[in-house]
């Protein structure tokens, strides 16, 4: 369902009443298989999600399309670099 909504133009950065977006909610999914599937879908539309899951090709594509890699994300205002560093991802 998430992929269908994203392909239809759903705003991946839209916030709920608690100031959480789709990436914030996906990170909280307890079922690891479902979490991985949702994060994979989000990574195609969000530079922060791509950085969170370590998809360097998607991060590079987002940068080429003008994504702001220094934009803070979520309540803790993490940047793409911070997600990469937390993962230990040097690529």
């Amino acid at each position: 369902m998430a992929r269908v909504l994203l392909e239809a133009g759903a705003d991946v950065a839209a916030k709920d009443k608690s100031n959480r977006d789709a990436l914030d909610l996906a990170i909280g999914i307890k079922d690891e298989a479902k979490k991985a599937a949702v994060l994979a879908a989000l990574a195609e539309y969000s530079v922060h999600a791509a950085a969170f899951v370590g998809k360097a090709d998607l991060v590079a594509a987002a940068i080429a399309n003008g994504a702001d890699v220094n934009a803070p994300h979520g309540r803790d205002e993490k940047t793409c670099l911070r997600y990469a560093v937390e993962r230990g991802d040097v690529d």
Side-chain angles (χ1 to χ4, degrees):
M1 175 79 72
R3 187 174 305 280
V4 171
L5 293 166
L6 290 165
E7 288 173 356
D11 182 0
V12 72
K15 307 277 186 182
D16 66 11
K17 292 178 185 178
S18 297
N19 201 33
R20 298 172 301 175
D21 65 11
L23 178 56
D24 296 318
L25 297 173
I27 291 169
I29 295 172
K30 301 217 184 300
D31 181 303
E32 291 299 320
K34 288 180 182 179
K35 179 192 288 188
V38 172
L39 287 170
L42 291 175
E44 295 178 30
Y45 296 88
S46 163
V47 68
H48 287 93
F52 182 83
V53 298
K55 295 287 189 179
D57 58 329
L58 296 176
V59 171
I63 292 168
N65 286 315
D68 181 359
V69 296
N70 293 312
H73 172 263
R75 289 180 272 190
D76 54 3
E77 299 189 344
K78 291 182 181 180
T79 63
C80 293
L81 178 59
R82 182 150 173 210
Y83 282 131
V85 169
E86 286 177 353
R87 288 176 50 78
D89 195 342
V90 296
D91 294 330

